[in-house]
């Protein structure tokens, strides 16, 4: 039997708690040994809710724990690159939430550290790759069912925020494209087997959250990417969905097309008709939409460590996703078409 992987999680906020629950209860071969957060309530939560015994106020203390094999980063995006490098230097395997980093230079730093620590696994949290509907889309595409793929349309629409979280979160997120569309960019790279981007254009507005002006972010935006071999991809991201979470994909090939998730995900097969209206509950957030994918993603990380797979190809794709996301933001800010070298 493979050795248990002892995991230390850093960051126990919105997504960190979700990962911590999974790692503690639902991932074979993993033991959630330690946690780190600067917030005392988050540390108490991990102790009381999950029985995590080793809790630290900062990442450095967790990295100094010799029993921790792997570090799981669920921290603000602006910290990712620096923290991945520190964790690798401390001899740990690393999972880090998306995106890999906010700039191509930061990505390079991580790539160099990963090259130096060539036996340690590094994985970035693109959980759509483990969602059964996306996996099925990829299977159909690879089977040849669609013919030659020439068009992708991806949407990541967040439900309208009623408590101000998005405005508070935005300054460290890299902006709407690097925060939300980064998942769809990764999907596009996955579906096209790493097609090279040629040019990027983008448009965006602040329709509902004027507070985003402080960090020059938008709440509704689209980007168009032309990939090599005449593959045209469009990306729609927003924080303004009236029907809850919508994570959708449309693929068009020369023989057929497919779609998933368009219009959101119903919570039930049963619709209720009342007052001349049809009522159907919809999945509100990504936690519910990707509940299973988050567990499978964590399992994939632990399995990769146990079989000695460093996942370097995926890290290169994560760097490419950041490069495209940055180009989208530049295209939006500068209102011009950005040409990408390859
Ligand atoms: N895969 C997904 O779909 C998905 C969804 C949401 C968030 N995320 C990503 O997860 C990351 C965290 O997002 P969130 O929504 O949980 O944010 P959050 O603000 O709710 O949580 C951030 C956590 O980091 C901790 N933290 C802050 N500074 C720290 C430091 N210096 N050292 C250690 N811990 C520190 C905070 O205490 C908190 O626990 C972001 O990179 C975001 O892009 C991914």
């Amino acid at each position: 039997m493979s050795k248990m992987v002892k995991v230390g999680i850093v960051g126990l906020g919105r997504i960190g708690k979700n990962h911590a629950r999974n790692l503690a209860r639902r991932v074979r071969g993993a033991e959630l040994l330690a946690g780190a957060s600067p917030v005392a309530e988050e540390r108490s939560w991990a102790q009381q809710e999950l029985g995590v015994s080793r809790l630290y106020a900062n990442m450095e203390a967790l990295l100094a724990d010799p029993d921790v094999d792997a570090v799981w980063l669920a921290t603000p995006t602006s910290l990712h690159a620096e923290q991945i490098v520190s964790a690798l230097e401390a001899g740990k395997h690393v999972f880090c939430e998306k995106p890999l980093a906010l700039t191509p230079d930061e990505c390079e730093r991580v790539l160099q550290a990963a090259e130096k620590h060539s036996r340690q696994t590094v994985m970035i949290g693109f959980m759509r790759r483990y969602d059964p509907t996306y996996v099925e889309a990829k299977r159909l595409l690879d089977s040849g069912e669609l013919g030659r793929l020439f068009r992708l349309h991806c949407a990541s629409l967040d439900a309208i925020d009623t408590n101000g979280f998005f405005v508070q979160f935005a300054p460290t997120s890299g902006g709407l494209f690097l925060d939300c569309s980064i998942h769809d960019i990764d999907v596009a790279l996955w579906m096209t087997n790493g097609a090279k981007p040629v040019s990027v254009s983008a448009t965006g507005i602040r329709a509902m959250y004027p507070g985003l002006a402080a960090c020059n972010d938008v709440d509704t935006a689209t980007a168009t990417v032309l990939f090599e071999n005449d593959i045209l991809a469009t990306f729609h991201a927003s924080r303004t969905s009236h029907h809850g979470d919508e994570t959708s994909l449309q693929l068009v090939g020369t023989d057929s097309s497919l779609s998933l998730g368009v219009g959101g995900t119903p919570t039930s097969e049963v619709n209720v008709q009342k007052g001349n209206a049809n009522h159907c509950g919809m999945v509100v957030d990504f936690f519910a939409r990707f509940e299973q994918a988050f567990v499978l993603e964590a399992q994939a990380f632990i399995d990769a460590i146990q079989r000695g797979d460093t996942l370097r190809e995926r890290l290169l794709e994560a760097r490419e996703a950041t490069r495209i996301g940055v180009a989208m933001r530049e295209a939006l800010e500068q209102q011009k078409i950005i040409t990408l070298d390859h």
Side-chain angles (χ1 to χ4, degrees):
M1 220 180 85
S2 303
K3 181 175 158 292
M4 289 291 278
V5 178
K6 297 193 173 82
V7 181
I9 189 163
V10 183
L12 289 160
R14 202 168 56 126
I15 193 99
K17 286 192 176 72
N18 186 64
H19 287 308
R21 282 191 203 95
N22 290 340
L23 288 163
R25 298 174 179 149
R26 301 177 69 184
V27 182
R28 279 186 324 279
E31 177 188 339
L32 183 59
L33 178 74
S37 166
V39 181
E41 299 85 67
E42 293 180 355
R43 297 197 298 274
S44 313
W45 174 87
Q47 207 237 323
Q48 284 162 21
E49 179 97 3
L50 303 176
V52 179
S53 55
R54 303 189 194 183
L55 287 157
Y56 303 103
N58 57 60
M59 184 182 73
E60 291 68 30
L62 184 143
L63 293 184
D65 185 333
D67 295 330
V68 170
D69 302 311
V71 172
W72 189 287
L73 297 171
T75 49
T77 299
S78 51
L79 302 177
H80 288 181
E82 184 192 320
Q83 291 183 331
I84 297 171
V85 172
S86 302
L88 283 171
E89 283 174 354
K92 316 294 187 189
H93 302 286
V94 189
F95 175 95
C96 181
E97 258 307 339
K98 47 51 67 173
L100 164 56
L102 289 176
T103 66
D105 284 352
E106 287 182 343
C107 291
E108 268 335 298
R109 277 191 59 215
V110 174
L111 264 292
Q112 280 170 19
E115 200 174 318
K116 191 167 147 209
H117 300 278
S118 59
R119 295 163 71 95
Q120 288 156 238
T121 300
V122 183
M123 179 169 166
I124 306 302
F126 290 118
M127 77 293 185
R128 288 183 198 181
R129 293 206 186 209
Y130 302 94
D131 175 76
T133 60
Y134 279 86
V135 170
E136 176 61 2
K138 175 66 171 160
R139 190 193 67 75
L140 285 165
L141 183 60
D142 287 349
S143 75
E145 176 85 19
L146 275 66
R148 186 184 76 76
L149 177 72
F150 61 88
R151 178 84 177 93
L152 296 89
H153 179 69
C154 312
S156 286
L157 314 181
D158 280 334
I160 291 167
D161 175 24
T162 50
N163 64 19
F165 178 84
F166 289 144
V167 176
Q168 208 187 323
F169 175 79
T172 61
S173 75
L176 189 62
F177 289 130
L178 273 167
D179 188 49
C180 282
S181 302
I182 196 82
H183 281 296
D184 291 320
I185 299 169
D186 179 63
V187 165
L189 292 172
W190 177 33
M191 295 291 158
T192 63
N193 298 318
K196 298 287 175 217
V198 176
S199 64
V200 179
S201 60
T203 311
I205 54 172
R206 277 183 286 280
M208 293 182 73
Y209 306 97
L212 290 173
C215 59
N216 201 23
D217 201 3
V218 292
D219 58 32
T220 305
T222 58
T224 301
V225 179
L226 176 64
F227 285 92
E228 64 182 356
N229 301 325
D230 276 348
I231 302 175
L232 182 62
T234 46
F235 300 83
H236 177 199
S238 89
R239 312 281 197 195
T240 57
S241 167
H242 290 281
H243 56 277
D245 175 278
E246 176 172 336
T247 305
S248 59
L249 174 68
Q250 292 167 271
L251 300 178
V252 186
T254 47
D255 293 348
S256 61
S257 55
L258 67 77
S259 64
L260 65 91
V262 176
T265 309
T267 52
S268 164
E269 296 294 318
V270 179
N271 291 351
V272 174
Q273 288 82 36
K274 189 174 179 184
N276 299 321
N278 190 22
H279 298 270
C280 151
M282 302 299 287
V283 166
V284 175
D285 58 30
F286 60 83
F287 290 118
R289 170 66 183 82
F290 290 106
E291 195 251 338
Q292 192 183 1
F294 281 122
V295 177
L296 294 171
E297 166 187 73
Q299 191 64 61
F301 176 60
I302 298 300
D303 291 350
I305 293 171
Q306 289 185 330
R307 67 171 187 274
D309 186 344
T310 60
L311 303 175
R312 285 300 180 269
E313 285 302 312
R314 295 280 299 281
L315 192 60
L316 296 177
E317 284 183 331
R319 172 179 65 176
E320 183 69 342
T322 289
R323 189 170 81 107
I324 297 170
V326 168
M328 287 178 179
R329 194 181 57 210
E330 286 174 4
L332 173 66
E333 285 170 359
Q334 299 166 22
Q335 280 302 289
K336 67 174 197 193
I337 296 175
I338 305 281
T339 308
L340 289 168
D341 300 330
H342 58 273

